[in-house]
Amino acid sequence: MRTSQLFISTLKEAPSEAELLSHKLMLRAGLIKRLGSGLYTWMPLGLRVLRKVEAVVRQEMNRAGAQELLMPAVQPAELWQETGRWDVFGPQMLKITDRHERQFCFGPTHEEVITDIARAELRSYKQLPVNFYQVQTKFRDEIRPRFGVMRAREFMMKDAYSFHADFDSLKATYDVMYGAYSQVFTRLGLKFRAVAADTGAIGGDGSHEFHVLADAGEDLLAYCPTSDYAANVELAEAFAPEAPRAAATQAMAEVDTPKQTACEDVAALLGISVTQTVKAIALVTTTGEFVLALLRGDHNLNEVKIGKVEGMADFRFATEEEIRSNLSCPPGFIGPVGVNANIRIIADRTVAAMSDFVCGANKPKFHLSGVNFGRDLPEPAVVADIRNVVNGDRCPDGKGGVLELCRGIEVGHIFQLRTKYSAAMNCTFLNEQNTLLPMEMGCYGIGVSRIVGAAIEQNHDARGIIWPEAMAPFTVAVVAVGYHKSEAVKAAADQLYADLSAAGVDVLLDDRNERPGSMFADMELIGIPHRITVGDKALANGEVEYVSRRAGEMQKVAIGEAVSFVKSQLA
Amino acid sequence: MRTSQLFISTLKEAPSEAELLSHKLMLRAGLIKRLGSGLYTWMPLGLRVLRKVEAVVRQEMNRAGAQELLMPAVQPAELWQETGRWDVFGPQMLKITDRHERQFCFGPTHEEVITDIARAELRSYKQLPVNFYQVQTKFRDEIRPRFGVMRAREFMMKDAYSFHADFDSLKATYDVMYGAYSQVFTRLGLKFRAVAADTGAIGGDGSHEFHVLADAGEDLLAYCPTSDYAANVELAEAFAPEAPRAAATQAMAEVDTPKQTACEDVAALLGISVTQTVKAIALVTTTGEFVLALLRGDHNLNEVKIGKVEGMADFRFATEEEIRSNLSCPPGFIGPVGVNANIRIIADRTVAAMSDFVCGANKPKFHLSGVNFGRDLPEPAVVADIRNVVNGDRCPDGKGGVLELCRGIEVGHIFQLRTKYSAAMNCTFLNEQNTLLPMEMGCYGIGVSRIVGAAIEQNHDARGIIWPEAMAPFTVAVVAVGYHKSEAVKAAADQLYADLSAAGVDVLLDDRNERPGSMFADMELIGIPHRITVGDKALANGEVEYVSRRAGEMQKVAIGEAVSFVKSQLA
């Protein structure tokens, strides 16, 4: 394509609405245009990127044996009432009332609709397994849409749903889809990790998220550089230290901490490591029980994990008043020593292995040092993994590696739903023994439009986007400097454009009558991976100039070899 | 693809919900599945058809120089308020309130959104013309959705919008789009006509509808078999007879018509042609004026045309009471003779040229014969074209042909919007003289999903669908009879499938373990245009059997020539 026939609209500055770098760059490069809060038009250049992602997703889904269909975006409330999700999905679901006062939603996901199709169409184990997918515009009424296409209200999603006669078949398809997802992100040229994940609101057993690694990611991931272990921090198990608890060597003593309430400050005051301190966090259960959770001073409470301790589901943090009335002490100085015996102590595994530690004294302006379990206070009532893992923790896969943390942007999520939806909606089949059973189900989502933003978060520099080739709106830009002034430039550029196109290269000929600097800046901002410049000066030596967007160094190439040279540069 | 890997679900009988043949066949062939009123899932087989149509549309739009983008389906109310359409579009527009109580609609069309983009992005005549299009799911809240995908609530549409510096540029792009539309329907293998059309609610000047011709069409079209004239019946001009009014030869006389109120019945009683009768239709204008419209007995009033006569905009039909009070006569016997001089008579051109005609006597149970203008009653106050054209009318293009009527299904509509939206939304540009002007606009729609239904209405027989090749889910079906029993059949069918695929033919191998009759019936119902049967009997002679879905006659073909034979049969 020629820039003279393509709508291009670049900006020097991003509109102030944009916070995130990818959002700013997408607006500046003219890939998207804002219509309203969380609503974006994909402009011609941006749509080319989206379609390339879509095509890779579709190819890998087909290769994985999934069959494409297309369900309505608008879904009747009745189906959602069958699974009970009409009331529990929350305000992200955009509810609609039609002219006949019937209720619908603009589908945020399609488990109910596909299960309705499956229960009508699939009756025998002979028809199973089957895996359906669609690529579709979805709507989620985010309370605060932001980050451009990364958290838009209207977005493009690939969602797949598989149906099985038994769990083994589900697991087999789940593995195939895991492989297909890995292949999608690999082909798109993205650095990514598949991580074990919580199943959240979709429900079911077993689940992996696929994250594009980027500093701006909303999710904190733990992975092992020496194995394939990776998990959302919320799910990564933290083990007890390998060494057993050391014997007590100090006597317990009150230490004066007039202004020090945070463990870091107490440690600094005492000249010790923060790893010798223990913090107590006061919680209240749904039955009103007052509980103290103990964590090493530098560790953070993992609310998902502690929520799984007996009686702790849906706990909340205690109020200052509750803390004062239970411990006779204000927050900042509380601790586990000398508390009423009916206050349950839940110690993190690491804390349970500590000796001679420092903690709050339950007395304003004082902490205790040299504290030891079994001597100064009872052994904790519960010892459990209740903290987030940190850099250097032992990897839970037992292969001897240590964890590192990084940030990721979730772009895919696969679930073993099991029979959550099929049981609720009576989606059954007859097995070989002629027994009626609910189908096993899996579901598999990819945020197609989100991938575009995530790719930019991972691939950019000060001049703009650096597209991986597979996603680039054009693979090669031919910038003709002086196209409207020099016959030689025009002839050479037109010929190169024709030759590259004929060689199957997706090429953009910049034939605008603009300053060279402005044309280069546009191509760099837009992020075309390879650029050939055709100008009078180099042409006089029978040459053109090649620059890789990522590497940046200019090379002269004989005009006759330009096509083969460019092809050799392609991934 | 193999049927063993494709979800196929055919039905012997269509669900009772389906009225129209195409709807029944789509349900029976398993192309679509109903989710709710006017909401259909495109099953894998149906989606293949839809995608083929979509691809042809996209190719022709790109070839016409239009650029694809993708606007949000959900649109803020504010934009629609700028053009005033928020209140006037009517209940077809599905209005939505988000969690912040802001109003949106699920876009039924996108003039406002694209004009909002154009006014922000286009500022100079140098950027014009530009033509944007999208292929998108639209929603219209039909009061009575029916006919399956032909009048669904959620449907797929291609909508394009062009922006211009002047009317000449708009007309040039309009002509290009007219050509592109013709090319789309020609490539899809459909019999169609482009007809001059009313601009309706979209507004603007100049408009053509594209109709797929089919007996079940909702629109009545007039076309000339000897020229390229075609128009919606509502718009086709009916001329006065070429011969002038003949002189009166009969005296006016009362005739006894005790029970005859309809012109046909009066003519039958009197033994004359209905073309000698005149019917009077009583109308009331918005100012309360009582008017008589005169039409030849066999002609029908065209409400669009009479609405354009002075004072007749938004007229209504008179009540029986109004008729009695103005003419002292009940309906069925009313006529123009002897009426009060302040009752305006609007005569159709054909009536104005009649003499010696028969009409109501304004006296119960009586008509008048031998009636003549200028003698028995004044010349009509207004003579105008107020009727629908009929078979045999002179073609309005003046090339000497005569009109024929046919029925069509509207699948495309192109409009010269002019400045209706740009003026309302302040979408302006600077022309060469640096003057700020509103842009000229065109808009161009194709009902992508509707085309699928319309194609079936035009192409089917008692056994099912007969797809034009370009739209068929698969071009060729290879039916392997005994695939699971005969090694020879399996080997030959697999080889033929591989060879045809390698030759670029979109082929479906039916490798199911079903009765041959059931496999043939499925392929015929689904409408695959070409079928090769591989069976032991013909294979023994080194042959396979070819049948064209449309022609139906079986031919034996040597197995070694099957691929080249099939290719020679393709369009």
Side-chain angles (χ1 to χ4, degrees):
Chain A
M1 188 170 271
R2 290 162 180 270
T3 48
S4 55
Q5 290 158 358
L6 175 68
F7 181 79
I8 293 186
S9 169
T10 55
L11 298 171
K12 287 254 186 304
E13 302 289 335
S16 59
E17 82 200 54
E19 305 165 38
L20 210 60
L21 203 119
S22 58
H23 188 193
K24 287 181 187 171
L25 287 175
M26 288 186 78
L27 289 169
R28 283 189 54 208
L31 305 183
I32 55 171
K33 188 160 172 58
R34 184 179 185 274
L35 172 64
S37 173
L39 300 173
Y40 294 90
T41 294
W42 289 83
M43 298 299 286
L45 204 54
L47 188 60
R48 289 183 72 91
V49 178
L50 189 67
R51 294 283 188 233
K52 290 199 176 182
V53 175
E54 207 183 317
V56 169
V57 169
R58 201 168 257 132
Q59 284 158 17
E60 294 303 326
M61 288 303 105
N62 292 342
R63 203 191 304 266
Q67 298 187 46
E68 189 174 3
L69 46 58
L70 183 60
M71 294 178 265
V74 173
Q75 309 178 7
E78 290 76 13
L79 284 181
W80 288 73
Q81 284 155 352
E82 283 191 54
T83 60
R85 289 210 298 176
W86 184 254
D87 297 315
V88 304
F89 199 88
Q92 277 205 347
M93 183 158 75
L94 186 65
K95 294 180 179 176
I96 300 171
T97 304
D98 78 358
R99 66 195 288 167
H100 299 298
E101 299 295 324
R102 289 196 207 100
Q103 281 205 293
F104 295 83
C105 67
F106 192 146
T109 180
H110 276 70
E111 283 81 8
E112 280 80 359
V113 176
I114 196 74
T115 305
D116 181 55
I117 290 171
R119 68 180 168 185
E121 297 288 345
L122 305 173
R123 304 205 169 150
S124 157
Y125 71 95
K126 290 179 193 163
Q127 293 173 286
L128 300 175
V130 62
N131 189 358
F132 292 118
Y133 79 97
Q134 60 177 355
V135 179
Q136 190 187 40
T137 296
K138 298 264 194 279
F139 197 95
R140 290 189 188 171
D141 199 2
E142 298 281 351
I143 190 158
R144 195 183 154 225
R146 56 198 161 141
F147 307 151
V149 300
M150 297 257 279
R151 193 171 289 279
R153 295 203 287 180
E154 195 174 317
F155 58 96
M156 190 179 287
M157 186 168 158
K158 186 285 302 174
D159 45 329
Y161 307 89
S162 66
F163 296 87
H164 307 269
D166 55 41
F167 188 30
D168 281 344
S169 166
L170 165 57
K171 282 189 285 190
T173 294
Y174 186 86
D175 288 346
V176 167
M177 292 298 272
Y178 184 104
Y181 273 45
S182 301
Q183 189 57 21
V184 165
F185 300 115
T186 302
R187 281 185 60 190
L188 291 175
L190 298 172
K191 290 186 279 291
F192 72 98
R193 283 200 178 265
V195 305
D198 197 18
T199 51
I202 302 280
D205 293 345
S207 162
H208 283 87
E209 293 170 0
F210 287 78
H211 287 263
V212 167
L213 304 185
D215 293 340
E218 287 191 281
D219 289 281
L220 192 59
L221 311 178
Y223 70 99
C224 180
T226 57
S227 77
D228 61 356
Y229 178 85
N232 202 303
V233 155
E234 293 185 347
L235 244 72
E237 187 175 2
F239 291 105
E242 286 184 90
R245 187 197 292 166
T249 64
Q250 304 173 8
M252 185 168 78
E254 259 186 21
V255 288
D256 210 358
T257 51
K259 295 176 186 168
Q260 288 71 18
T261 58
C263 285
E264 295 74 24
D265 300 334
V266 172
L269 178 75
L270 303 182
I272 58 170
S273 164
V274 70
T275 60
Q276 271 305 109
T277 65
V278 167
K279 62 184 163 194
I281 299 172
L283 307 171
V284 177
T285 70
T286 52
T287 62
E289 183 194 357
F290 184 86
V291 173
L292 278 187
L294 302 186
L295 290 148
R296 200 172 77 182
D298 58 328
H299 285 163
N300 288 317
L301 182 68
N302 181 311
E303 299 182 28
V304 173
K305 290 179 178 178
I306 198 168
K308 290 176 182 164
V309 171
E310 197 187 335
M312 296 304 294
D314 300 321
F315 75 91
R316 63 174 172 82
F317 291 94
T319 62
E320 181 166 345
E321 201 168 278
E322 286 167 334
I323 291 171
R324 284 179 188 273
S325 80
N326 279 281
L327 302 173
S328 312
C329 176
F333 304 98
I334 65 173
V337 180
V339 301
N340 192 316
N342 63 8
I343 295 180
R344 186 156 56 131
I345 307 281
I346 302 175
D348 181 63
R349 288 169 171 172
T350 305
V351 171
M354 289 169 74
S355 55
D356 294 336
F357 58 83
V358 169
C359 62
N362 287 324
K363 180 175 166 189
K365 306 187 179 176
F366 285 94
H367 278 72
L368 297 171
S369 67
V371 180
N372 286 277
F373 287 113
R375 184 189 77 181
D376 308 321
L377 74 168
E379 291 293 335
V382 181
V383 176
D385 171 22
I386 60 170
R387 69 169 172 96
N388 287 335
V389 292
V390 294
N391 271 320
D393 269 341
R394 255 197 298 157
C395 176
D397 66 6
K399 295 181 184 162
V402 293
L403 293 178
E404 290 188 13
L405 299 189
C406 65
R407 300 204 77 88
I409 299 166
E410 185 189 334
V411 288
H413 204 157
I414 59 178
F415 296 88
Q416 293 171 12
L417 295 176
R418 307 294 311 265
T419 57
K420 176 182 156 93
Y421 294 90
S422 53
M425 294 181 66
N426 201 27
C427 177
T428 56
F429 72 103
L430 287 170
N431 72 1
E432 280 191 75
Q433 289 72 43
N434 230 28
T435 307
L436 210 56
L437 292 172
M439 296 178 204
E440 292 274 350
M441 279 178 69
C443 85
Y444 319 89
I446 287 183
V448 177
S449 44
R450 176 177 263 213
I451 286 175
V452 178
I456 296 173
E457 286 297 333
Q458 191 181 79
N459 299 279
H460 64 266
D461 63 14
R463 289 168 294 152
I465 302 163
I466 307 173
W467 289 115
E469 264 174 37
M471 297 178 65
F474 297 93
T475 315
V476 176
V478 172
V479 176
V481 175
Y483 187 88
H484 297 266
K485 289 169 198 149
S486 159
E487 275 301 323
V489 166
K490 181 175 186 307
D494 283 347
Q495 187 63 49
L496 188 54
Y497 172 62
D499 292 347
L500 283 167
S501 300
V505 178
D506 192 10
V507 56
L508 177 68
L509 171 60
D510 196 348
D511 58 356
R512 291 176 295 171
N513 193 10
E514 301 274 350
R515 287 180 306 102
S518 149
M519 290 160 86
F520 294 149
D522 273 357
M523 292 304 118
E524 285 174 343
L525 173 59
I526 290 167
I528 315 287
H530 306 277
R531 190 181 81 207
I532 294 275
T533 305
V534 181
D536 272 324
K537 206 165 157 188
L539 269 188
N541 299 323
E543 288 174 334
V544 292
E545 293 168 357
Y546 168 82
V547 179
S548 149
R549 175 70 181 86
R550 200 178 286 273
E553 274 174 38
M554 194 266 278
Q555 273 179 272
K556 304 228 178 204
V557 180
I559 180 112
E561 285 157 31
V563 173
S564 59
F565 177 84
V566 165
K567 291 200 81 170
S568 75
Q569 298 297 306
L570 302 187
Chain B
M1 189 169 271
R2 292 163 180 267
T3 47
S4 54
Q5 291 158 0
L6 175 68
F7 180 78
I8 292 185
S9 169
T10 55
L11 298 171
K12 287 255 185 306
E13 302 289 335
S16 59
E17 81 200 54
E19 305 164 39
L20 209 61
L21 204 117
S22 58
H23 188 192
K24 286 180 188 170
L25 286 175
M26 288 185 78
L27 289 169
R28 283 190 53 207
L31 304 183
I32 55 171
K33 187 159 174 60
R34 184 179 185 275
L35 172 64
S37 173
L39 300 174
Y40 294 90
T41 294
W42 289 83
M43 299 299 287
L45 204 55
L47 188 60
R48 290 182 72 93
V49 178
L50 189 68
R51 294 282 188 234
K52 290 202 175 181
V53 175
E54 208 183 315
V56 169
V57 168
R58 201 167 258 134
Q59 284 159 16
E60 294 303 325
M61 287 304 103
N62 293 342
R63 201 191 307 263
Q67 297 186 48
E68 188 173 4
L69 45 59
L70 182 60
M71 294 178 264
V74 173
Q75 309 178 8
E78 290 76 13
L79 285 181
W80 289 73
Q81 283 153 354
E82 283 191 55
T83 60
R85 289 209 297 177
W86 184 254
D87 297 316
V88 303
F89 199 89
Q92 276 205 346
M93 184 159 74
L94 186 64
K95 293 179 179 175
I96 300 172
T97 305
D98 78 357
R99 65 195 288 167
H100 300 296
E101 297 296 322
R102 291 196 206 98
Q103 280 205 292
F104 295 83
C105 66
F106 193 147
T109 178
H110 276 71
E111 283 81 8
E112 280 80 359
V113 176
I114 195 75
T115 305
D116 180 56
I117 291 170
R119 68 181 169 184
E121 297 288 346
L122 306 172
R123 294 183 180 174
S124 158
Y125 71 94
K126 290 178 193 162
Q127 294 173 283
L128 300 175
V130 62
N131 190 359
F132 292 119
Y133 80 97
Q134 61 177 354
V135 180
Q136 190 186 43
T137 296
K138 298 264 195 278
F139 196 95
R140 292 190 187 172
D141 199 2
E142 298 281 350
I143 189 157
R144 195 184 153 223
R146 55 198 161 141
F147 307 151
V149 300
M150 298 257 277
R151 194 171 287 278
R153 295 202 288 179
E154 195 174 318
F155 57 97
M156 190 178 285
M157 186 168 157
K158 186 285 300 174
D159 45 328
Y161 307 88
S162 67
F163 296 87
H164 308 269
D166 55 41
F167 189 30
D168 282 345
S169 166
L170 166 57
K171 282 190 286 192
T173 294
Y174 186 86
D175 289 346
V176 168
M177 292 298 272
Y178 184 103
Y181 273 47
S182 301
Q183 191 57 21
V184 165
F185 300 116
T186 301
R187 281 184 60 190
L188 290 176
L190 298 172
K191 292 186 279 291
F192 73 97
R193 283 200 178 266
V195 305
D198 199 17
T199 51
I202 302 281
D205 294 345
S207 164
H208 283 86
E209 293 170 359
F210 288 77
H211 287 262
V212 167
L213 304 185
D215 294 340
E218 287 191 282
D219 289 283
L220 192 58
L221 311 178
Y223 71 98
C224 178
T226 58
S227 76
D228 62 357
Y229 179 85
N232 201 304
V233 155
E234 292 185 348
L235 245 75
E237 186 175 4
F239 290 106
E242 285 185 271
R245 187 196 294 164
T249 62
Q250 302 174 8
M252 185 167 77
E254 258 185 23
V255 289
D256 211 359
T257 52
K259 295 175 186 168
Q260 288 72 18
T261 57
C263 285
E264 295 74 23
D265 300 333
V266 173
L269 179 75
L270 303 181
I272 59 170
S273 164
V274 70
T275 61
Q276 270 306 108
T277 64
V278 167
K279 62 185 165 196
I281 298 172
L283 308 171
V284 177
T285 71
T286 52
T287 62
E289 182 194 357
F290 185 87
V291 174
L292 278 186
L294 302 187
L295 289 147
R296 200 171 77 182
D298 57 328
H299 286 161
N300 288 317
L301 181 69
N302 181 313
E303 299 182 27
V304 173
K305 289 178 177 178
I306 199 168
K308 292 175 181 165
V309 171
E310 197 186 336
M312 298 303 293
D314 300 321
F315 75 90
R316 62 172 172 84
F317 290 95
T319 62
E320 180 166 344
E321 202 168 275
E322 286 167 333
I323 291 172
R324 285 179 187 271
S325 83
N326 278 281
L327 302 173
S328 312
C329 174
F333 304 98
I334 65 172
V337 180
V339 300
N340 194 315
N342 62 9
I343 293 181
R344 185 155 59 128
I345 306 281
I346 302 174
D348 181 61
R349 288 168 172 171
T350 304
V351 171
M354 288 170 75
S355 56
D356 294 336
F357 58 82
V358 170
C359 63
N362 287 326
K363 181 174 166 189
K365 306 187 179 178
F366 285 94
H367 278 71
L368 298 171
S369 67
V371 180
N372 285 278
F373 285 114
R375 183 189 78 179
D376 308 321
L377 73 168
E379 290 294 335
V382 181
V383 176
D385 172 22
I386 60 169
R387 70 170 173 94
N388 287 335
V389 293
V390 293
N391 270 321
D393 271 340
R394 256 196 298 158
C395 177
D397 66 6
K399 294 180 184 164
V402 293
L403 293 179
E404 290 188 12
L405 300 190
C406 65
R407 301 203 78 88
I409 299 165
E410 186 190 332
V411 288
H413 205 158
I414 60 178
F415 297 88
Q416 292 171 11
L417 294 176
R418 307 294 310 265
T419 58
K420 176 182 156 93
Y421 295 89
S422 52
M425 294 181 67
N426 201 28
C427 177
T428 56
F429 72 103
L430 287 170
N431 73 2
E432 281 190 77
Q433 289 73 43
N434 231 26
T435 309
L436 210 56
L437 292 172
M439 296 178 205
E440 293 273 353
M441 279 178 69
C443 84
Y444 318 88
I446 286 184
V448 177
S449 44
R450 176 177 262 212
I451 286 175
V452 178
I456 296 174
E457 285 298 331
Q458 190 181 79
N459 298 279
H460 64 265
D461 64 13
R463 287 168 294 150
I465 302 164
I466 308 173
W467 289 115
E469 263 174 39
M471 298 177 64
F474 297 92
T475 316
V476 176
V478 172
V479 176
V481 175
Y483 187 87
H484 298 265
K485 288 169 199 149
S486 159
E487 276 300 322
V489 166
K490 180 174 187 310
D494 283 347
Q495 187 62 50
L496 188 54
Y497 172 63
D499 292 347
L500 283 167
S501 299
V505 177
D506 192 9
V507 57
L508 178 67
L509 170 60
D510 196 347
D511 59 355
R512 291 177 294 171
N513 192 10
E514 301 274 350
R515 287 180 305 105
S518 147
M519 291 159 88
F520 294 149
D522 273 356
M523 293 303 119
E524 285 173 345
L525 173 60
I526 291 168
I528 315 287
H530 305 278
R531 190 181 81 208
I532 294 274
T533 305
V534 180
D536 272 325
K537 206 166 158 188
L539 269 189
N541 299 324
E543 290 175 332
V544 293
E545 292 169 357
Y546 168 82
V547 179
S548 149
R549 176 68 183 86
R550 199 177 287 273
E553 273 174 39
M554 194 268 277
Q555 273 179 271
K556 304 229 178 202
V557 179
I559 180 111
E561 286 156 30
V563 173
S564 60
F565 178 83
V566 165
K567 291 200 82 168
S568 76
Q569 298 296 306
L570 302 187

